[in-house]
Amino acid sequence: MAKILVVGGSLGGLFVANILLRQGHDITLLEKATGSLDGRGAGIVTHDALAQALKAAGVTVDHTLGVLVSQRVTLGRDGNNLGEMELPQVLTSWSRLYHMLKESFPAERYLQGKAVKSLTQNANSVRVQCEDGSQYEAELLIASDGIRSGVRAQVAPEVQPEYAGYIAWRGVCDEACLSQHTLDTLFNHFGFCLPDGEQMLGYPVAGSGNDTRPGKRRYNFVWYRPASQDKELISLLTDDDGRYYPTGIPPLKVSWKHIAHMRQVAHEILAPQYAEILEKTAAPFLQAIYDVRSEQIVFDRVALMGDAAFVGRPHVGMGVTKAGDEAMVIAKYIAQLGATPQALQAYSDERLKLGQQVVARAQYLGRYMQAQGSKGTRDTDNLKRNASTVMAETAIDISDLLAQGKAVPESAH
Ligand SMILES: Cc1cc2nc3c(=O)[nH]c(=O)nc-3n(C[C@H](O)[C@H](O)[C@H](O)COP(=O)(O)OP(=O)(O)OC[C@H]3O[C@@H](n4cnc5c(N)ncnc54)[C@H](O)[C@@H]3O)c2cc1C
């Protein structure tokens, strides 16, 4: 049994902490936030690998995981169907996964208000100091502390999030509010709408209390819109009192003026079904889209995983699945090689290039989305062709492509 520290108590940290705990290790998880992380996430696309990681983490995976959707559809500006595609997928939510993973992990090992601020290591151990003055020591440290990882800042300060040039409006709308037309033509689908240079997508998720019964569900949407870094992004990340949040504006702080403008544009350029959803979503929020690409994810007794290691833009729909995969690989090598730097190096050998591929694929999917605008065409045939490509490529299981090193098609290089 080894002493292992996990930094970050979101989904990635909970995956690795749960899996290693079940291997018999002495795990302490350090999480910066003091309150519940719940209530801030929205929809998550699941893949087979996610179910495997959940099972390894001790979570029971059954039909209550999420909402099964069998078809994708793209709607035109007029609301008509531009194309559809069969693709069964289970859609869940960040909160659902968080609760399942958190309930599997002993509360006394999940320490909150522990913001790691520095670390040192020697031949036998790694030691961290938290902002509250407390210190922890262990044989290994696994950092899953997110896009602005404090641990990464210590070991690889040169790696910084790079703004992709666009933001995502997000939110969930209660099914019960929606018109019959929107329910009939969109609600049960993984839906898309592709205005020039932008992309709207959405899918149904469970409602309050994880209720998946018809009438009780919600529609989760993500609307990607370009925003210049120097002007528009700063304005979007500034609240109604003039306070600027450079690393992300809390959902309830998003300015009502931006929300009103976003809804107005939705009526002008999106299918009416989506405009209705945006109109009826109580608290839309927004996130800037970033890339994080690491060249090194293991530093002797310290490993980076999850968003601390790589952030692929959400078009791949893989943030959580990737974290689950990485957690399983770390645990596999610790089981084989012990809690040693060699085990972490084996993890890096297996996952570094895959993580880089995920980032590259996400950039490719984002570029493609933006390229639509530059074509400057509203030709229906062209839109149809783009619709099929977007539906076929977004948030699909790419494990085979990753294994073959083909996450980005050769034509896109
Ligand atoms: C509130 C929230 C909502 C999300 N919603 C979605 C979603 O709807 N869809 C989606 O695809 N992805 C979502 N994500 C991202 C998704 O959860 C991640 O891609 C996935 O969980 C893997 O990220 P992670 O666990 O490595 O990092 P994150 O989820 O970013 O978590 C990092 C954790 O580390 C903690 N932390 C940061 N710095 C320190 C420090 N110095 N010391 C200690 N702890 C620290 C943070 O408080 C946070 O809990 C969300 C993330 C969060 C935090």
Side-chain angles (χ1 to χ4, degrees):
M1 179 174 88
K3 263 183 114 162
I4 300 175
L5 287 172
V6 173
V7 181
S10 175
L11 303 185
L14 281 167
F15 267 124
V16 77
N18 268 308
I19 297 172
L20 290 172
L21 187 79
R22 277 159 184 75
Q23 286 186 355
H25 297 294
D26 176 4
I27 309 298
T28 302
L29 185 151
L30 306 174
E31 164 56 45
K32 175 169 82 170
T34 44
S36 170
L37 300 179
D38 197 5
R40 288 182 280 166
I44 303 273
V45 179
T46 74
H47 305 287
D48 289 348
L50 178 66
Q52 284 170 27
L54 286 168
K55 285 179 197 156
V59 169
T60 307
V61 178
D62 58 22
H63 68 282
T64 64
L65 178 61
V67 176
L68 175 64
V69 166
S70 55
Q71 217 176 30
R72 295 183 165 199
V73 67
T74 300
L75 301 180
R77 158 76 189 92
D78 56 6
N80 286 334
N81 182 331
L82 288 180
E84 51 196 32
M85 183 188 150
E86 294 296 318
L87 184 57
Q89 257 176 332
V90 173
L91 291 323
T92 186
S93 65
W94 188 91
S95 306
R96 174 81 176 128
L97 295 176
Y98 174 69
H99 282 292
M100 292 195 298
L101 287 165
K102 184 117 189 302
E103 278 157 23
S104 295
F105 193 70
E108 67 277 12
R109 292 178 177 274
Y110 188 102
L111 309 186
Q112 293 201 246
K114 299 290 178 188
V116 169
K117 79 167 187 199
S118 64
L119 69 87
T120 50
Q121 52 178 323
N122 60 32
N124 302 313
S125 67
V126 50
R127 171 184 283 265
V128 297
Q129 181 155 33
C130 297
E131 278 171 13
D132 66 359
S134 55
Q135 296 193 13
Y136 298 87
E137 191 168 8
E139 282 144 84
L140 295 181
L141 181 149
I142 316 295
S144 195
D145 54 344
I147 187 167
R148 295 181 197 281
S149 165
V151 173
R152 193 186 66 229
Q154 297 280 310
V155 292
E158 70 286 359
V159 178
Q160 295 289 334
E162 282 183 31
Y163 178 54
Y166 50 99
I167 58 105
W169 279 101
R170 301 178 55 190
V172 285
C173 179
D174 286 341
E175 179 179 7
C177 308
L178 292 171
S179 67
Q180 198 56 48
H181 178 64
T182 294
L183 294 175
D184 292 344
T185 54
L186 178 62
F187 189 86
N188 289 307
H189 296 84
F190 194 134
F192 295 85
C193 184
L194 306 171
D196 287 350
E198 306 194 13
Q199 185 182 108
M200 166 62 105
L201 65 81
Y203 46 80
V205 292
S208 173
N210 196 41
D211 201 334
T212 52
R213 288 174 299 168
K216 305 288 184 188
R217 298 166 295 177
R218 293 175 176 145
Y219 201 76
N220 168 82
F221 67 83
V222 186
W223 182 12
Y224 299 104
R225 310 208 66 206
S228 62
Q229 186 164 16
D230 49 349
K231 237 174 128 186
E232 288 165 305
L233 183 62
I234 292 175
S235 173
L236 286 164
L237 297 179
T238 302
D239 71 14
D240 288 314
D241 298 318
R243 181 164 170 201
Y244 171 49
Y245 300 85
T247 57
I249 184 163
L252 296 177
K253 288 288 181 184
V254 177
S255 167
W256 67 269
K257 292 176 207 134
H258 289 309
I259 293 175
H261 180 252
M262 176 273 289
R263 287 183 170 137
Q264 182 198 325
V265 178
H267 283 286
E268 291 162 12
I269 69 170
L270 293 179
Q273 294 93 322
Y274 276 115
E276 179 191 349
I277 287 169
L278 293 180
E279 204 63 67
K280 292 177 174 174
T281 296
F285 60 100
L286 64 91
Q287 279 178 326
I289 304 299
Y290 291 97
D291 301 312
V292 173
R293 185 182 192 278
S294 292
E295 298 295 340
Q296 188 179 347
I297 53 173
V298 166
F299 305 81
D300 300 320
R301 294 185 172 271
V302 175
L304 304 177
M305 61 163 285
D307 287 6
F310 302 99
V311 176
R313 303 177 195 178
H315 317 299
V316 274
M318 275 206 67
V320 180
T321 300
K322 183 179 80 60
D325 278 345
E326 289 164 350
M328 290 210 295
V329 174
I330 289 171
K332 174 178 79 178
Y333 287 117
I334 290 178
Q336 283 175 18
L337 302 169
T340 56
Q342 290 73 20
L344 297 188
Q345 190 52 48
Y347 152 70
S348 170
D349 293 345
E350 184 169 332
R351 292 299 308 190
L352 178 70
K353 290 217 157 38
L354 292 181
Q356 292 173 343
Q357 276 196 71
V358 169
V359 178
R361 179 173 176 85
Q363 288 170 333
Y364 153 70
L365 293 180
R367 270 204 300 272
Y368 176 81
M369 176 190 72
Q370 289 177 303
Q372 285 198 128
S374 59
K375 282 181 192 152
T377 173
R378 288 176 190 269
D379 171 71
T380 310
D381 282 345
N382 197 23
L383 263 183
K384 267 186 188 160
R385 200 167 56 243
N386 289 342
S388 17
T389 315
V390 171
M391 284 193 292
E393 291 186 331
T394 303
I396 56 164
D397 187 342
I398 57 165
S399 42
D400 288 344
L401 291 175
L402 288 174
Q404 296 160 18
K406 292 183 177 163
V408 178
E410 275 176 23
S411 55
H413 285 293

